[in-house]
Amino acid sequence: MSARRIAFEVLRRVEEGGAFASRALDAALEAAGAIDPREAGLATELTYGTLRRALTLDAALAPHSRRAIGTLDPAARVALRLGAYQLLFLGTAAHAAVGETVGLVKAVDAGRAAGFVNAVLRALSRAPRLPEPPPLGDDPAGHVAVAESLPRFVAEEWVAWLGAEEALALARAMNQPAPLCVRSPRRDELLEKARAAGLAARPAARSPHGAILSGAPVRALARAAQGVPFQVQDEGAQLAGLYAAGHLAGSTGARVLDACAAPGGKTFHLAELVGPHGEVVAVELHPRKADQLRDEAARRGYRQVKVICADASQPLPGLAPASFDAVLCDAPCAGLGTLRRHPELKLRRTAEDLARAAGLQRAIAANALRYARPGAPFTYAICSLSRAEGPALVQALVDLGFSRLPPPAGFPADALTAEGDLLTLPSRHDCDGFYAARLAAR
């Protein structure tokens, strides 16, 4: 199967079925079997590039289409974006970009939309122009949105929070591929084995458990590891775990609550931090995910992990309030810090999602806070970058009577705000965007 066909089918799954691009692409590449690495690389570039630049592509296509791009049948819309991405960003010859894209449409709808797609792409190929952003000084949010293919409401939020220059750098970084980062309790040994196998691996900049792998898939690291345990986890997520419970590392018998646990990366990191004599209670709302978490904990040999299937916004069954040495609330969020890995969120999120997420986050945080011992840290964390979900929500908790706690001793200072909160940005730290704050009852 060709790279364009794989990308087309993956993009349709994202557009029509609501799939995450990363999972859909992994499944498609696996189903394709033995495929030339260059074709796999092109399929990846076409998939992620088209999603990252979808809003720009729609604007570039609009003058050539008699119908609004958003009203087209999904297959035609996906085909137009895929063809336009090749014309505008990859410099693909028009006959290849247009001809092969039209061929994809013919294959799925017997050619009904093929004539339309052919006409629009040929018109674009004769006048291939990207939309011109307004000057940064005149309209900062408009410039960021148009230049980096970002929803206007996200650009406005980032400009208001971080300033125009930082917002532009952040949006630009979100359009770059994310590095492959793993976490291992035996990081240095893992690095030695990776290098011995000829893999380009280096320590992560801030997490003492993180390693960055370049130019090789994770399965190559699995072969090289020879039994050294590791887990794929972004460095920002690792820092959130360290921020929540880093002070407990090496302690004996510590008890930690992970209030929103699936898929379990932070749960297992916490288990490594507190060791076999500690306990991590992982709460997950969805039964299927709770079962998967329980199975994965058993597979990894983490007997100190106990999984409970429950709603973290409600009293937790079997758990006594004020009974944990640390509580992590990694709340469900809009995910705006993960746009490098999930560019489809640019097309799915709305301004209303931020307020909706904040309401649920506040309910979960208010309930989970009750389970921290007096003076023990309660860490609220999100992988999103908006004030409503982050600083504003934490301030609301402070206004209710909770006080801020300082970060763990020795925590990387360049990942902290002036208030001592954790804030990572792809533009500064080359990891996902995370926000976290530590609180305690007064």
Side-chain angles (χ1 to χ4, degrees), residues 291-339:
D291 287 342
Q292 291 174 340
L293 184 57
R294 195 175 290 111
D295 292 344
E296 186 63 13
R299 187 185 72 81
R300 292 174 179 271
Y302 291 131
R303 296 180 180 177
Q304 66 270 46
V305 173
K306 176 183 178 183
V307 178
I308 295 176
C309 185
D311 182 350
S313 68
Q314 303 296 321
L316 297 172
L319 300 182
S323 62
F324 287 87
D325 300 300
V327 174
L328 170 62
C329 176
D330 183 16
C333 63
L336 299 182
T338 66
L339 294 181

Side-chain angles (χ1 to χ4, degrees), residues 22-41:
S22 56
R23 295 177 188 171
L25 180 61
D26 287 347
L29 290 174
E30 185 174 348
I35 181 174
D36 188 313
R38 290 172 296 183
E39 285 290 291

Side-chain angles (χ1 to χ4, degrees), residues 425-439:
L425 303 172
S427 49
R428 294 185 198 171
H429 308 98
D430 197 23
C431 62
D432 288 348
F434 267 85
Y435 171 83
R438 284 160 56 105
L439 303 171

Side-chain angles (χ1 to χ4, degrees), residues 129-217:
R129 282 193 295 272
L130 292 169
E132 186 71 23
L136 184 65
D138 294 347
D139 181 3
H143 181 91
V144 172
V146 174
E148 297 301 329
S149 199
L150 195 69
R152 171 91 191 195
F153 81 93
V154 178
E156 290 176 345
E157 172 64 16
W158 288 357
V159 168
W161 183 15
L162 304 168
E165 296 292 343
E166 183 73 63
L168 180 59
L170 177 57
R172 187 172 294 148
M174 288 295 190
N175 283 329
Q176 301 301 315
L180 174 56
C181 185
V182 303
R183 186 199 75 250
S184 174
R186 294 155 57 187
R187 192 264 303 270
D188 292 345
E189 187 179 354
L190 180 68
L191 286 170
E192 287 181 10
K193 290 187 177 298
R195 290 165 178 160
L199 303 179
R202 57 181 169 82
R206 296 167 186 82
S207 170
H209 310 130
I212 307 293
L213 186 67
S214 302

Side-chain angles (χ1 to χ4, degrees), residues 248-298:
L248 294 175
S251 63
T252 300
R255 198 162 182 255
V256 181
L257 173 65
D258 186 356
C260 303
K266 296 185 189 67
T267 299
F268 302 142
H269 194 188
L270 294 171
E272 293 162 6
L273 290 169
V274 302
H277 301 295
E279 182 182 45
V280 178
V281 177
V283 177
E284 171 50 42
L285 173 63
H286 302 286
R288 180 180 61 81
K289 293 181 179 179
D291 287 342
Q292 291 174 340
L293 184 57
R294 195 175 290 111
D295 292 344
E296 186 63 13

Side-chain angles (χ1 to χ4, degrees), residues 215-422:
V218 68
R219 60 179 178 275
L221 181 62
R223 288 193 296 268
Q226 298 178 7
V228 177
F230 72 87
Q231 182 174 16
V232 176
Q233 187 183 40
D234 180 79
E235 188 180 13
Q238 296 180 39
L239 291 174
L242 291 166
Y243 186 79
H247 68 292
L248 294 175
S251 63
T252 300
R255 198 162 182 255
V256 181
L257 173 65
D258 186 356
C260 303
K266 296 185 189 67
T267 299
F268 302 142
H269 194 188
L270 294 171
E272 293 162 6
L273 290 169
V274 302
H277 301 295
E279 182 182 45
V280 178
V281 177
V283 177
E284 171 50 42
L285 173 63
H286 302 286
R288 180 180 61 81
K289 293 181 179 179
D291 287 342
Q292 291 174 340
L293 184 57
R294 195 175 290 111
D295 292 344
E296 186 63 13
R299 187 185 72 81
R300 292 174 179 271
Y302 291 131
R303 296 180 180 177
Q304 66 270 46
V305 173
K306 176 183 178 183
V307 178
I308 295 176
C309 185
D311 182 350
S313 68
Q314 303 296 321
L316 297 172
L319 300 182
S323 62
F324 287 87
D325 300 300
V327 174
L328 170 62
C329 176
D330 183 16
C333 63
L336 299 182
T338 66
L339 294 181
R340 294 190 306 176
R341 302 180 191 280
H342 303 298
E344 63 274 9
L345 296 181
K346 288 185 178 184
L347 303 175
R348 294 177 182 170
R349 293 293 181 253
T350 66
E352 291 72 26
D353 288 337
L354 303 183
R356 191 177 303 116
L360 175 61
Q361 290 157 351
R362 182 167 179 164
I364 293 174
N367 183 60
L369 261 163
R370 303 187 303 122
Y371 293 92
R373 298 186 196 281
F378 165 85
T379 299
Y380 171 80
I382 50 170
C383 60
S384 195
L385 296 172
S386 75
R387 292 168 297 176
E389 298 176 278
L393 190 143
V394 168
Q395 184 58 50
L397 295 174
V398 171
D399 293 342
L400 287 174
F402 297 95
S403 59
R404 289 179 184 273
L405 290 179
F411 197 85
D414 69 343
L416 298 172
T417 69
E419 294 78 20
D421 298 346
L422 169 68

